[in-house]
Amino acid sequence: MTVLPYFIGCPSWNEPAWRGCLYPAAMPASHFLGQYCSVFNCVEGNTTLYAWPSEEKVRRWLELMPEGFRFCAKFPREISQAQDLRAVLERVDAFERLMAPLGKRIAPFWLQLPASFGPSRLPELVALFEHIRVPLALEVRHRAFFARGDEERALNRLLLERGIERICLDSRALFSCRSDDPALLHAQSKKPRVPPRPAAFSDSPQVRFIGHPQLSANDPFLSPWLDKLAGWIEEGRTPHIYLHTPDNHRAPELALRFHRQLSERLPGLPELNWPEQPGEAQMSLLE
């Protein structure tokens, strides 16, 4: 794993479509995580959003994730989508205990709230923040939190006072695409279409970029983030950025593209430990 002044990764590591690109063509899935960690230094914990991992699986992750790696574990849906967050604080504790062996590799935990979670429920967040004992980042989707009014300011104050990051989600590139491709249409139906909110409420700003399937079409949308991350790094912060594509088949390539472009703004930035693959796979990075 390359030592970098920031964290860069993808939504997951367990993607068979990455064989021949990030992974050797014949690599068994059980080896994916180790190879992923040799290239990228962080990953979104999508797997924990949908299912609680076993203790054995957490131990396996511990064996494969280097000490400096970051796994942004997402609180399971039964917590983040609960009718009242105050009613699931014991489940929050249980999840923290389950993930505790990973130590600082989880920094921060992520809480992704549904679009139904609006300003009237802010007292639930206050109770959760007072209860929780781990670093946390929050993603909101309710329209009121993007209206630049009193409700958004109240949320931002709450987060800023506690040093809790507001996850910056940017899906503009995804929604700029017009196609009948099923994977694209599925992604557009599932991903939130909200304006980006570049925020740094702690030393570790969090960015999720949902990209266009054609890599070069992302460049106009990536450019502001290149400037933002370069600025944060120069300020001494350690930002995280996670690169998606509609079906995530090209997410590693988009992440590599972002890193190479960031290197143009930050000369001397180390290269990613990208594996050598046949020419066809490498040429796709230039599209």
Side-chain angles (χ1 to χ4, degrees):
M1 185 181 73
T2 305
V3 177
L4 299 172
Y6 79 114
F7 290 97
I8 182 169
C10 302
S12 67
W13 64 80
N14 193 22
E15 177 50 72
W18 297 349
R19 288 190 176 106
C21 177
L22 184 64
Y23 305 141
M27 175 174 279
S30 59
H31 293 187
F32 284 177
L33 178 56
Q35 174 66 12
Y36 178 94
C37 292
S38 72
V39 178
F40 298 112
N41 59 4
C42 67
V43 69
E44 279 190 35
N46 275 336
T47 183
T48 61
L49 178 67
Y50 300 108
W52 290 61
S54 65
E55 293 181 0
E56 179 182 358
K57 182 171 287 187
V58 173
R59 288 194 295 269
R60 174 67 173 162
W61 291 344
L62 177 61
E63 293 173 0
L64 294 173
M65 293 178 181
E67 187 173 348
F69 190 82
R70 292 293 178 267
F71 176 60
C72 294
K74 297 181 181 181
F75 280 104
R77 288 181 296 180
E78 66 187 79
I79 293 173
S80 58
Q81 298 183 20
Q83 293 298 310
D84 191 321
L85 294 177
R86 293 166 293 197
V88 293
L89 294 180
E90 290 185 2
R91 301 300 288 161
V92 170
D93 294 341
F95 187 68
E96 288 180 20
R97 289 194 299 270
L98 176 63
M99 306 305 290
L102 294 177
K104 292 183 179 179
R105 291 169 182 81
I106 301 185
F109 283 73
W110 278 18
L111 180 67
Q112 288 183 304
L113 297 175
S116 60
F117 192 105
S120 65
R121 298 182 64 183
L122 285 181
E124 296 175 39
L125 281 182
V126 173
L128 176 68
F129 295 164
E130 292 177 349
H131 179 84
I132 205 165
R133 299 181 299 276
V134 293
L136 183 66
L138 180 75
E139 182 178 293
V140 292
R141 300 185 176 186
H142 193 283
R143 286 287 175 180
F145 295 133
F146 297 87
R148 300 193 183 279
D150 291 342
E151 293 160 323
E152 181 173 1
R153 284 190 285 271
L155 172 68
N156 289 344
R157 282 196 302 270
L158 179 63
L159 298 177
L160 183 60
E161 289 168 358
R162 291 161 173 78
I164 294 172
E165 278 302 341
R166 177 174 177 172
I167 298 169
C168 315
L169 186 144
D170 187 353
S171 58
R172 291 174 298 173
L174 171 68
F175 287 102
S176 73
C177 187
R178 299 291 179 265
S179 170
D180 293 330
D181 178 69
L184 177 71
L185 295 176
H186 177 75
Q188 290 178 338
S189 72
K190 294 295 184 182
K191 299 298 184 184
R193 190 172 189 174
V194 294
R197 286 290 188 267
F201 294 158
S202 75
D203 290 335
S204 300
Q206 309 281 311
V207 179
R208 297 179 71 214
F209 182 90
I210 318 297
H212 192 288
Q214 183 182 347
L215 297 184
S216 61
N218 290 290
D219 290 349
F221 301 96
L222 286 176
S223 182
W225 289 113
L226 292 165
D227 294 335
K228 179 62 71 174
L229 261 73
W232 282 336
I233 292 169
E234 290 170 343
E235 291 172 4
R237 301 182 194 267
T238 310
H240 296 218
I241 186 166
Y242 302 88
L243 287 301
H244 301 232
T245 55
D247 55 12
N248 287 320
H249 288 180
R250 306 196 70 183
E253 298 168 73
L254 183 59
L256 177 62
R257 188 181 187 90
F258 179 89
H259 182 76
R260 287 176 171 172
Q261 293 181 6
L262 184 63
S263 298
E264 297 173 3
R265 286 166 168 77
L266 296 174
L269 194 66
E271 294 183 4
L272 295 181
N273 184 33
W274 192 262
E276 291 187 7
Q277 298 291 345
E280 182 179 348
Q282 288 297 305
M283 286 300 294
S284 70
L285 302 178
L286 304 178
E287 294 177 7

